[in-house]
């Protein structure tokens, strides 16, 4: 009880938290210690005491040094933030540029808020001095004789503490800003970007996974009338962070459940992510306003299609595209290979992966926007070499390095037998280690998976028929309409393209009746959209005129009846 009393007394005088804590402590004193309600109230008072966010805008159990982020006040903050982002991620230059802008704005707001706070304090002190000077006249005035009238009320001396003070919160003014929404395919570094921001700011990092959340109470908390009730995910993360200055990552916000009989958890997030409302966030369990304006919220998603429009309107969208092969090679060298070597009990002296071998793995065995499958493939190679090294060491004998490439081969002699371990992994060994490649050159150019870019060829052929167009390849309605528009444009300009002799002739009926059959490879995969209109137009023109389009040219764009849109 003494600890609870100390926590309650540490709360701000007159705040809702203090009133609630005093009321619940009085109830606790009247309830027997063995009662179930006794433990419920005790837990509630502890949680509400920890979340006393109105104690000068800070948690009362943490020192001011721990509350305010010191790195953000350093003049080298932005330089250190750039170095942190470059150390944790390769590439993503546009994303890093936007994050640096975001951090710069946060820093300027913090500095401006601190400057305004100092000016406000100086103004208060000057007002106090003016009141004291007015209350204490000059020495010559003290020598004057003033007649005393007992019927006249004497003016009271103003107190320095009666100076009006404007209330305000430094954190709300300093941190309030846009909510970042990182959208991109899986394993492109969205979560790790949030961790890098927290490291740069020197703040605790908390991750909340929203995938599969279907109950509004998981965001807002359960009311204390229910059995085994507790605070929501936001308050729980705030407790784990230990301070209000923190970075909170709302992961997989696109996989949150839709509205049902449990409520709409997406609608509950609207108050959390609104900069003008989250300083009075109401958790049903705590039942007192909680200031979330000092928290930097970062959201992640794989797609924008399942996110509600009001929730999407509160976020600033930052698109993360897939990595190129060159970026994957650098990521594999700097991060993936050392990570797999450490995980499998090896070091850099045990295995050397050549550049052609690494490129062969990235292009023939993985096909994704991120680097997850690339890490698995590298792990397979490392484990294969780990078995070879373990068998080599178990064979005994004195090992020594030979070879011309800085000890590329290690040999050991024992009782007339000689064994060798080759450190270097060449390109021709990859198929023996990982098996047959999943993609060859032709399929690698054609294949297009979810979350990454790719090249999709358009195949056309002319066959005898009645002047119609046939389409195959699992095409949607939009892409079929684009094909009809492309053919109409070709027919309109057939005379200008020297396909027909007059403008009245139909290129599909003169000189012979033909049909055009166009096909998109990878028929299992659904394809739709207007962006293939230009490519289909060029394919039709190439088929009718015989002019070849260079294979190294890629096209994208929508076509309309007047031409390129």
């Amino acid at each position: 009880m003494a600890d609870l009393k100390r926590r309650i007394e540490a709360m701000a005088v007159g705040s809702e938290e203090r009133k609630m804590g005093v009321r619940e402590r009085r109830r606790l004193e009247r309830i027997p210690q063995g009662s179930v309600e006794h433990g419920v109230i005790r837990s509630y008072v502890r949680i509400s005491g920890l979340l006393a966010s109105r104690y000068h805008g800070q948690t009362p159990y943490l020192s001011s040094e721990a509350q305010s982020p010191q790195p953000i006040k350093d003049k080298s903050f932005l330089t250190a933030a750039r170095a942190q982002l470059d150390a944790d991620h390769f590439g993503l230059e546009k994303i890093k540029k936007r994050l640096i802008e975001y951090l710069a704005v946060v820093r300027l707001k913090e500095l401006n808020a601190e400057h305004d706070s100092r000016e406000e304090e100086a103004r208060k002190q000057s007002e106090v001095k003016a009141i004291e000077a007015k209350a204490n006249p000059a020495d010559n005035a003290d020598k004057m004789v003033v007649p005393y009238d007992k019927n006249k009320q004497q003016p009271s001396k103003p107190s320095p503490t009666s100076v009006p003070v404007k209330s305000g919160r430094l954190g709300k003014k300093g941190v309030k800003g846009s909510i970042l929404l990182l959208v991109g395919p899986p394993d492109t570094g969205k979560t790790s970007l949030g961790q890098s921001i927290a490291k740069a700011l020197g703040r605790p990092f908390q991750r909340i996974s929203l995938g599969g959340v279907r109950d509004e109470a998981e965001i807002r908390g359960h009311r204390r009338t229910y059995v085994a009730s507790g605070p929501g995910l936001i308050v729980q993360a705030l407790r784990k962070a230990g301070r209000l200055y923190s970075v909170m990552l709302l992961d997989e916000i696109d996989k949150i459940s839709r509205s049902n009989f449990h409520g709409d958890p997406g609608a509950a997030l609207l108050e959390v992510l609104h900069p003008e409302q989250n300083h009075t966030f109401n958790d049903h369990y705590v039942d007192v306003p909680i200031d979330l304006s000092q928290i930097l919220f970062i959201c992640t998603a794989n797609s924008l299609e399942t996110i509600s429009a009001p929730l999407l309107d509160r976020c600033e969208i930052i698109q993360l595209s897939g990595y190129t092969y060159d970026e994957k090679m650098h990521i594999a060298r700097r991060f993936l290979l050392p990570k797999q070597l450490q995980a499998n009990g090896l070091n850099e002296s045990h295995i050397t992966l050549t550049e052609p071998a690494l490129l062969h793995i990235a292009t023939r065995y993985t096909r994704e926007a991120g680097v997850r499958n690339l890490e698995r493939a590298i792990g397979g190679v490392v484990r294969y070499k780990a078995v070879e090294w373990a068998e080599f060491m178990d064979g005994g004998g004195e090992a020594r390095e030979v070879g011309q490439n800085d000890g590329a081969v290690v040999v050991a002699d024992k009782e007339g037998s000689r064994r060798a371990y080759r450190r270097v992994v060449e390109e021709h060994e990859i198929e023996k280690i990982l098996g047959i490649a999943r993609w060859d050159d032709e399929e690698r150019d054609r294949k297009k998976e979810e979350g990454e870019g790719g090249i999709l060829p358009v195949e056309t052929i002319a066959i005898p028929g009645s002047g119609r167009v046939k389409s195959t390849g699992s095409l949607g309605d939009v892409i079929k309409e684009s094909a009809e528009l492309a053919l109409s444009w070709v027919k309109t300009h057939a005379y200008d393209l020297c396909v027909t002799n007059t403008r009245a002739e139909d290129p599909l009926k003169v000189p012979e009746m033909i049909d055009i059959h166009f096909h998109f490879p990878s028929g299992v995969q659904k394809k739709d959209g207007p962006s293939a209109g230009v490519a289909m137009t060029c394919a039709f023109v190439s088929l009718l005129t015989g002019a070849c389009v260079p294979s190294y040219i890629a096209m994208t764009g929508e076509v309309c009846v007047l031409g390129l849109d």
Side-chain angles (χ1 to χ4, degrees):
M1 296 297 293
D3 179 67
L4 294 180
K5 184 178 180 180
R6 179 182 62 83
R7 291 174 178 268
I8 294 173
E9 290 177 351
M11 299 179 186
V13 179
S15 64
E16 293 293 333
E17 294 89 343
R18 188 183 181 97
K19 295 178 182 177
M20 183 69 71
V22 172
R23 182 166 60 251
E24 294 298 328
R25 188 175 66 87
R26 292 174 179 173
R27 287 185 56 197
L28 191 63
E29 292 175 349
R30 297 192 299 266
I31 296 177
Q33 190 171 0
S35 175
V36 177
E37 188 70 14
H38 185 278
V40 173
I41 296 177
R42 192 179 187 88
S43 300
Y44 169 77
V45 174
R46 287 181 176 178
I47 293 176
S48 60
L50 182 65
L51 298 175
S53 58
R54 293 195 176 189
Y55 184 80
H56 299 295
Q58 299 176 352
T59 304
Y61 309 113
L62 298 176
S63 62
S64 59
E65 182 180 359
Q67 280 290 321
S68 59
Q70 298 299 329
I72 201 172
K73 299 179 182 179
D74 193 356
K75 293 183 179 180
S76 60
F77 168 72
L78 293 180
T79 303
R82 286 192 183 95
Q84 184 69 48
L85 291 173
D86 292 337
D88 295 341
H89 302 84
F90 182 84
L92 305 177
E93 298 302 330
K94 293 183 179 179
I95 311 302
K96 292 178 182 178
K97 177 177 176 294
R98 180 61 188 91
L99 293 180
I100 290 296
E101 294 173 354
Y102 180 73
L103 294 177
V105 171
V106 173
R107 168 176 163 78
L108 292 177
K109 286 187 175 182
E110 287 286 348
L111 296 179
N112 292 338
E114 185 179 2
H115 178 70
D116 294 343
S117 177
R118 287 197 300 264
E119 288 186 349
E120 182 71 14
E121 186 67 23
R123 186 186 63 80
K124 293 178 183 177
Q125 293 179 1
S126 62
E127 291 181 359
V128 171
K129 291 180 180 179
I131 293 175
E132 292 177 352
K134 187 177 181 180
N136 300 322
D139 294 338
N140 55 356
D142 292 340
K143 299 178 181 179
M144 296 177 60
V145 178
V146 179
Y148 175 75
D149 188 359
K150 64 180 180 178
N151 296 326
K152 183 177 180 181
Q153 185 178 3
Q154 300 297 323
S156 59
K157 181 178 179 180
S159 174
T161 59
S162 64
V163 180
V165 178
K166 296 182 179 180
S167 61
R169 281 189 300 272
L170 173 63
K172 180 183 175 182
K173 185 176 181 180
V175 179
K176 182 175 66 175
S178 58
I179 309 298
L180 299 182
L181 174 58
L182 306 178
V183 183
D187 201 47
T188 52
K190 299 184 294 296
T191 303
S192 57
L193 281 172
Q195 294 175 347
S196 299
I197 294 176
K199 291 178 183 178
L201 292 171
R203 300 184 178 185
F205 175 79
Q206 288 295 321
R207 173 182 170 271
I208 300 177
S209 180
L210 297 178
V213 173
R214 59 184 180 87
D215 194 350
E216 179 188 358
E218 296 188 46
I219 305 297
R220 290 187 175 274
H222 297 80
R223 299 187 183 277
R224 287 191 294 152
T225 55
Y226 296 100
V227 178
S229 60
L233 294 174
I234 303 297
V235 176
Q236 292 179 22
L238 193 59
R239 289 175 56 193
K240 294 177 182 178
R243 58 174 117 168
L244 297 177
Y245 281 99
S246 61
V247 177
M248 198 169 293
L249 182 76
L250 305 180
D251 203 7
E252 308 292 351
I253 197 174
D254 58 325
K255 296 177 179 58
I256 196 170
S257 178
R258 296 296 185 92
S259 177
N260 50 45
F261 64 94
H262 291 287
D264 190 356
L269 286 175
L270 296 178
E271 182 182 3
V272 176
L273 299 179
H274 199 293
E276 302 296 336
Q277 298 178 3
N278 58 8
H279 63 279
T280 57
F281 174 71
N282 185 25
D283 186 273
H284 291 162
Y285 179 82
V286 180
D287 201 23
V288 290
I290 301 174
D291 187 6
L292 302 180
S293 62
Q294 303 176 38
I295 301 175
L296 294 181
F297 287 100
I298 301 175
C299 308
T300 66
N302 298 129
S303 175
L304 298 177
E305 297 178 356
T306 57
I307 304 177
S308 62
L311 186 59
L312 200 61
D313 183 63
R314 281 161 170 75
C315 304
E316 179 182 350
I317 301 173
I318 299 179
Q319 293 283 351
L320 277 79
S321 59
Y323 294 108
T324 63
Y325 286 126
D326 182 60
E327 292 175 340
K328 288 183 179 181
M329 296 284 288
H330 285 82
I331 292 172
R333 285 292 182 193
R334 290 178 53 182
F335 303 103
L336 304 184
L337 185 56
K339 179 181 177 181
Q340 289 298 322
L341 289 175
Q342 183 180 5
N344 293 281
L346 299 178
N347 53 50
E348 295 180 356
S349 63
H350 294 147
I351 180 174
T352 302
L353 201 59
T354 62
E355 290 294 326
L358 188 58
L359 181 62
H360 188 77
I361 295 174
T363 56
R364 300 294 185 89
Y365 290 87
T366 63
R367 192 66 178 155
E368 58 178 346
V371 292
R372 185 168 297 162
N373 289 330
L374 178 59
E375 183 179 0
R376 292 170 181 167
I378 293 176
V381 175
V382 174
R383 288 190 297 269
Y384 181 87
K385 300 302 290 185
V387 173
E388 287 189 353
W389 178 252
E391 293 176 349
F392 176 78
M393 296 297 294
D394 293 342
E398 183 179 357
R400 66 180 188 275
E401 297 179 354
V402 298
Q404 300 177 356
N405 190 14
D406 297 332
V409 179
V410 181
V411 299
D413 298 326
K414 182 181 180 181
E415 298 179 357
S417 62
R418 188 175 188 182
R419 295 170 295 103
Y421 169 77
R422 182 174 175 80
R423 295 173 174 174
V424 181
V425 179
E426 300 288 351
E427 181 180 359
H428 62 85
E429 301 179 64
I430 300 300
E431 185 172 348
K432 176 184 176 183
I433 299 174
L434 299 179
I436 301 175
R438 296 182 59 187
W439 290 276
D440 55 18
D441 291 336
E442 184 179 359
E443 290 178 345
R444 186 182 62 194
D445 294 337
R446 292 182 176 184
K447 190 69 175 178
K448 184 179 185 300
E449 292 188 354
E450 181 182 358
E452 68 173 352
I455 299 174
L456 192 63
V458 182
E459 300 176 352
T460 57
I461 188 175
I463 57 177
S466 58
R468 297 181 179 180
V469 177
K470 297 181 180 179
S471 61
T472 54
S474 299
L475 306 181
D477 295 335
V478 177
I479 198 170
K480 290 181 180 179
E481 292 178 356
S482 297
E484 295 178 0
L485 286 171
L487 185 59
S488 298
W489 187 90
V490 171
K491 288 182 178 181
T492 304
H493 298 81
Y495 178 76
D496 300 330
L497 297 171
C498 300
V499 177
T500 58
N501 296 325
T502 62
R503 295 187 181 274
E505 293 179 352
D506 189 344
L508 300 187
K509 297 181 179 180
V510 177
E512 297 178 354
M513 298 281 287
I514 60 172
D515 287 344
I516 294 181
H517 182 190
F518 71 94
H519 172 72
F520 286 83
S522 301
V524 178
Q525 213 168 19
K526 299 293 183 179
K527 308 173 190 67
D528 202 2
S531 59
V534 174
M536 288 187 291
T537 302
C538 293
F540 293 157
V541 173
S542 176
L543 177 65
L544 296 176
T545 60
C548 296
V549 180
S551 59
Y552 56 83
I553 295 179
M555 307 175 188
T556 181
E558 185 177 356
V559 70
C560 62
V561 292
L562 300 179
L564 182 63
D565 191 2

